[in-house]
Amino acid sequence: MIEPVTPSAIGRSPARVDGLAKAMGLAPYADDQPVPEPLHVVAVESTVPRGRISAVDTTAASAVDGVVLVLTHENAPRTATADRELAVLQDDRVHFRGQVVAAVVATTVEAARAAAGAVVVDVAAEPFSVVVDPDELYAPDALNAGYPTDTDQGDLDRALAVADVVVDRTYTTARTYNSPMEPHATTATWTGDDLHVYESTQSVHGARDTLAEVFGVDPERVRVTCPFVGGGFGAKGLPHAGAVLCALAARALPGRAVRFAATRRQMFRITGYRPRITQRVRLAATVDGVLTGIGVDVVQETARLKEFAEQVPVAARMMYAAPHRRTSQRLAALDVPVPSWMRAPGEAPGMFALESAIDELAHACGLDPVDVRVRNEPLRDPATGKPFTSRGLVDCLHEGADRFGWYDRDPRVRTPRRGPWRVGRGVAAATYPAYRNAANSALVRFTDPGYRVEIGAADLGTGAWTALAQIAADALGVDVARVDLAIGDTRHPRASVAGGSSGTASWGTAIVEAARAFRDKFGAGAAAGDEVLADAPRNAVGDTHAAHAYGAQFAEVHVHEDTGEVRVARLHGHFDVGRVINPRTARSQLIGGMVMGMSMALHEDATMDAALGHTSNADLASYHVPTHADVLDITADWLGVPDPLLNPMGSKGIGEIGITGTAAAIANACFAATGVRVRELPITLDRFL
Ligand code: MOS
C-alpha cells in the first residue's frame, strides 16, 4: 500500500494547509475555542513598582452586575511553584508596576473590566530601582540555554596592547517587545483535579508541565490544546502570569470555563520582552584586518523577581578566528517586569554589536567589510575546537554580495547627495545555532490509503502544519495529500518547544523515525489501524561538531540630508539554512525576521519612565514597529546545501537567523551614507542632524 512518490514533497511550496481556515476566520485561537458559558477574568494591576499590599477593598467590585468572584492574594487558591513569576496572587508583595494584584471573574468581559476598575488596592510603596547601577551588577551562574557566563582563551589584554589596530566601542540595544498579533490568551476548565486549557503557546507539553508544577498535580491530569497561534516570537515559549491567573480563577470555580486574554498594554508587562543590553566590544587586529583578539563584555537588565540571562556574547565566541578572546556577561536586577525569550535572544543583540565593530575595523583598515569577514573565517569552532557540521558563511557573503550588487557601491564614507538623500550600503553576518531538542516522539497510523501522523508540535503561524506534512509524506513515500497531520495537543506524542529555531529539526526527526519504524514493522503489508509510536534518537551532533546556520545581510539606506529620516531602500539576506523544506514558508520566515531586524534597527524602543517605573509607550500606537510603507525592496535567498549531519532532513532552523545581523547591516549602511556611527539602537533621525 505504500507508494513512493517523486518528486519529493520536501523542497516544494504547497500553500499552508491551515491558510484557508485562518483567512476565513474559522481557525479557533485560544480565546475563540467554543466552551459552554465561559466566564472572563480580568486582572487588576499594581500601579507602583515595589511595595506591600496593605488592604484590598472589593466591595464595589463585587456589587457590579455579572461579577462571580473577586480574587485577591488573601482568597486565591494556593499554588505550589517556586517560580516567582508564576506565583500569582500568592502573597502581598509587589515586584514591578503592572503585576497582577487582584482579579475579577464575571459573566462578560465588560463586567469584569468594569469591576476590575472598582477594586481598590492599597499598596505601601517602597523605594524602587529601574535604572542600572554599575556598582550593583552580578554574574549569573549560566546564561540562557546553559551557556557559560564568562569565557577566556589566550591573553586578550596582551593582544590588545600589541595590535596594529584596536576597536574599542560600546553598543546598546533597546528594550523591545515581541508583540505578536494574537495576545496571550487562555481558556481553562478544572474538572476535579483535571485541568484542560486552551493556551496560545509555543509548547503544549511545556505549558502542561509548567501548569502541573504550579498547581501541584500530575502532568497527566493537565491537557493543553493549541491548534493555532497568532505569533509568539518567544513570548509564548513558556506560560506567563496570565495563564496561571486563568487557571487559578478556574480552580476557584470548579467545572466552569474561564477565559483570560491579555490586553495589548498587558503585553508590555506580564508576557516577557527583550531587556536593554550594553556591550563593550574590543577587537585587536593586524593592519590587514586579521583579528588577533576579540573581547565582549555585556551588561544586561533583568528583573529582581526572576532572573533571565539572554546569551548575548555566545555568537562572538564562535563567529571569527582569533587566538585571544574573552567574553563576560553581568546582570542588573531591577524592579521591572520579567524579561524572557524574544526572537534570537542573545544572537540578535550580540550580532548587532559584533557586526558593527567588524565594520568599524574594516573602515579603520581601509578594507572592504565583506573581505574582512572572509579573512577571519575559522577552520574550526573557536569556542570548542570542534569542526562545524557545515559553514556556508563565506558563500553567503559572496553569493549575497553578487545578488545585491555590493561591488557597484560607492566605497566612500558620506557619499555625495542624490537629491536630498545620501545613499549608503552596509553588510553584516548572521548566525544562529542549529538546535535539535531531546524528547520528541511521533505516531504514525495507517488509515488506508493515507496516514495519520500525530505529534504535539506548535505552529506559531510559521508553517509547521505544512512543513511537517511534507516531511511525513517523504518519510512515508506518499503524496502529501495522503498525510493527515495532527499537532497542538498534549494528547499527541510529546514534542519540544517551537523555540530556538528547533521545531522542524526536532519534530521532523521524530516523524521520520516513526515512519521508518512503521515501514520496518509492517513493510507493504500494513492494514488500516496499524500504528507505531517512536522516539527521535538522541542528538549526538554536539558531541563532535559545532552546529550553526549562517547568513549575510546587505542593506541600502537613504538618509535624508535635512530631516535625518532613514529609508531602507533595499535589504537582501542570503542564508545557509541547510535544506529548505518549503521555500514559500521559509522565505516568509526569513523576511519576517529581517523586518523584525529592521524594526530593531530603526523603530522599537520601549522607554522606561524612571520616575513611575514603567514602560511609558506600552501600546502599538506609541511603540513603533514598521508598517508596509517602511518595508520596500526586501529579499531572502539561500545556498540550498543540505547538512546531513544535523538531522534526516538536512535542514537548519530558519525562525530566528533572519533577525540576526540585520540591525548592524542597516547601521553600517547609515555610517557609509553619512559618516555618523550610531551605536545605540534604535537609529532615530536626530542622530544625523
Ligand atoms: Mo524563539 S525566542 O527561541 O521562540
Side-chain angles (χ1 to χ4, degrees):
M1 281 292 176
I2 295 166
E3 300 164 31
V5 289
T6 51
S8 76
I10 291 177
R12 286 192 282 164
S13 287
R16 301 201 176 185
V17 299
D18 51 332
L20 191 63
K22 283 184 172 175
M24 294 180 71
L26 299 175
Y29 292 84
D31 198 51
D32 309 322
Q33 292 283 353
V35 289
E37 298 179 55
L39 299 169
H40 303 269
V41 61
V42 168
V44 178
E45 300 173 33
S46 169
T47 54
V48 301
R50 188 173 168 85
R52 191 179 285 278
I53 299 169
S54 50
V56 187
D57 184 348
T58 62
T59 318
S62 300
V64 172
D65 218 23
V67 168
V68 175
L69 176 67
V70 181
L71 281 171
T72 72
H73 70 279
E74 287 167 340
N75 69 353
R78 296 300 99 187
T79 60
T81 183
D83 184 325
R84 303 203 323 145
E85 180 192 2
L86 301 181
V88 177
L89 299 179
Q90 296 302 297
D91 62 34
D92 60 359
R93 298 296 315 182
V94 173
H95 303 277
F96 63 90
R97 185 170 169 149
Q99 179 186 313
V100 177
V101 289
V104 176
V105 184
T107 50
T108 66
V109 182
E110 292 75 14
R113 198 178 291 146
V119 175
V120 181
V121 181
D122 289 328
V123 179
E126 296 171 6
F128 64 92
S129 167
V130 294
V131 177
V132 173
D133 178 347
D135 296 327
E136 293 284 326
L137 304 178
Y138 75 98
D141 292 339
L143 307 181
N144 181 46
Y147 291 99
T149 304
D150 294 357
T151 59
D152 194 358
Q153 296 160 272
D155 186 346
L156 178 67
D157 293 333
R158 170 124 189 94
L160 289 163
V162 303
D164 297 334
V165 182
V166 170
V167 172
D168 182 352
R169 294 294 187 184
T170 297
Y171 305 89
T172 301
T173 49
R175 181 183 300 101
T176 54
Y177 280 82
N178 317 48
S179 298
M181 286 292 284
E182 182 208 14
H184 289 60
T186 310
T187 300
T189 311
W190 283 93
T191 310
D193 267 346
D194 292 306
L195 171 65
H196 183 199
V197 303
Y198 296 99
E199 168 77 348
S200 185
T201 179
Q202 294 172 221
S203 173
V204 288
H205 289 93
R208 176 194 71 174
D209 292 352
T210 299
L211 291 171
E213 195 264 341
V214 168
F215 289 94
V217 297
D218 191 308
E220 293 304 315
R221 308 202 76 155
V222 180
R223 179 182 176 196
V224 178
T225 304
C226 179
F228 304 104
V229 187
F233 312 110
K236 295 172 183 169
L238 300 161
H240 295 288
V244 173
L245 174 65
C246 187
L248 201 61
R251 186 72 158 158
L253 297 159
R256 296 299 304 269
V258 178
R259 294 199 201 276
F260 172 81
T263 65
R264 186 54 70 183
R265 293 180 77 78
Q266 283 169 341
M267 299 287 288
F268 287 78
R269 293 164 189 159
I270 57 170
T271 62
Y273 62 98
R274 192 195 308 284
R276 186 173 165 88
I277 296 161
T278 298
Q279 303 171 65
R280 181 184 183 190
V281 181
R282 288 178 291 173
L283 303 178
T286 69
V287 285
D288 299 322
V290 174
L291 289 163
T292 52
I294 300 172
V296 178
D297 297 295
V298 178
V299 174
Q300 182 221 295
E301 298 181 3
T302 188
R304 208 186 303 279
L305 179 59
K306 182 167 120 182
E307 177 181 294
F308 174 69
E310 189 156 336
Q311 66 276 27
V312 184
V314 299
R317 293 173 185 169
M318 52 64 66
M319 201 61 193
Y320 299 111
H324 307 287
R325 41 210 311 139
R326 193 164 71 224
T327 67
S328 72
Q329 183 159 333
R330 298 293 176 268
L331 302 182
L334 305 175
D335 302 306
V336 296
V338 179
S340 184
W341 299 328
M342 178 165 161
R343 206 170 196 169
E347 285 77 10
M351 290 298 277
F352 168 67
L354 179 67
E355 293 301 300
S356 293
I358 293 285
D359 196 68
E360 300 211 41
L361 174 66
H363 283 282
C365 297
L367 294 168
D368 185 290
V370 168
D371 198 26
V372 166
R373 290 177 172 83
V374 173
R375 284 179 192 202
N376 289 291
E377 178 71 358
L379 290 174
R380 285 168 171 260
D381 175 13
T384 63
K386 292 172 184 168
F388 297 103
T389 57
S390 64
R391 182 168 162 120
L393 175 60
V394 170
D395 289 339
C396 290
L397 286 162
H398 287 151
E399 282 190 24
D402 284 344
R403 184 74 60 85
F404 182 74
W406 173 254
Y407 293 106
D408 36 284
R409 76 198 169 108
D410 181 340
R412 283 174 295 183
V413 171
R414 191 168 164 84
T415 50
R417 283 170 50 157
R418 208 190 278 176
W421 303 92
R422 293 192 191 274
V423 177
R425 291 183 187 173
V427 61
T431 192
Y432 194 79
Y435 297 116
R436 173 162 80 76
N437 286 327
N440 277 275
S441 310
L443 177 121
V444 166
R445 182 187 309 126
F446 189 47
T447 51
D448 199 1
Y451 291 87
R452 168 91 170 174
V453 177
E454 295 184 0
I455 183 165
D459 187 329
L460 305 192
T462 49
W465 271 109
T466 314
L468 294 183
Q470 292 174 259
I471 291 168
D474 278 13
L476 291 162
V478 297
D479 189 90
V480 71
R482 292 238 193 128
V483 175
D484 168 26
L485 181 75
I487 64 171
D489 199 312
T490 49
R491 292 195 167 169
H492 302 143
R494 186 176 182 91
S496 55
V497 64
S501 299
S502 67
T504 303
S506 306
W507 311 323
T509 299
I511 288 171
V512 170
E513 190 63 26
R516 186 180 294 148
F518 185 94
R519 296 174 80 160
D520 285 351
K521 184 168 179 185
F522 299 107
D530 286 343
E531 65 179 38
V532 166
L533 174 67
D535 300 331
R538 190 181 85 84
N539 184 1
V541 172
D543 298 350
T544 53
H545 289 76
H548 304 270
Y550 300 92
Q553 308 268 15
F554 295 86
E556 179 176 309
V557 303
H558 297 185
V559 184
H560 198 281
E561 179 72 3
D562 302 322
T563 67
E565 181 190 356
V566 178
R567 300 288 285 163
V568 179
R570 293 198 294 135
L571 205 51
H572 177 67
H574 217 86
F575 299 97
D576 163 19
V577 287
R579 188 178 182 200
V580 169
I581 308 298
N582 182 320
R584 184 201 305 244
T585 53
R587 183 170 284 111
S588 173
Q589 277 231 71
L590 293 168
I591 286 174
M594 292 166 70
V595 170
M596 210 160 164
M598 175 199 293
S599 188
M600 175 182 173
L602 300 180
H603 300 281
E604 292 184 54
D605 186 12
T607 53
M608 176 58 68
D609 184 321
L612 296 174
H614 75 156
T615 293
S616 45
N617 53 343
D619 56 63
L620 290 182
S622 48
Y623 180 85
H624 292 177
V625 294
T627 65
H628 282 87
D630 296 303
V631 182
L632 302 171
D633 179 355
I634 178 166
T635 53
D637 209 343
W638 44 81
L639 302 179
V641 180
D643 186 333
L645 289 178
L646 289 176
N647 56 61
M649 293 73 66
S651 63
K652 298 180 179 181
I654 51 176
E656 283 157 290
I657 189 164
I659 196 178
T660 72
T662 325
I666 291 168
N668 296 343
C670 289
F671 175 75
T674 64
V676 176
R677 178 71 67 179
V678 180
R679 301 186 182 89
E680 182 177 11
L681 297 181
I683 304 168
T684 45
L685 48 78
D686 51 296
R687 313 299 179 93
F688 302 105
L689 302 179

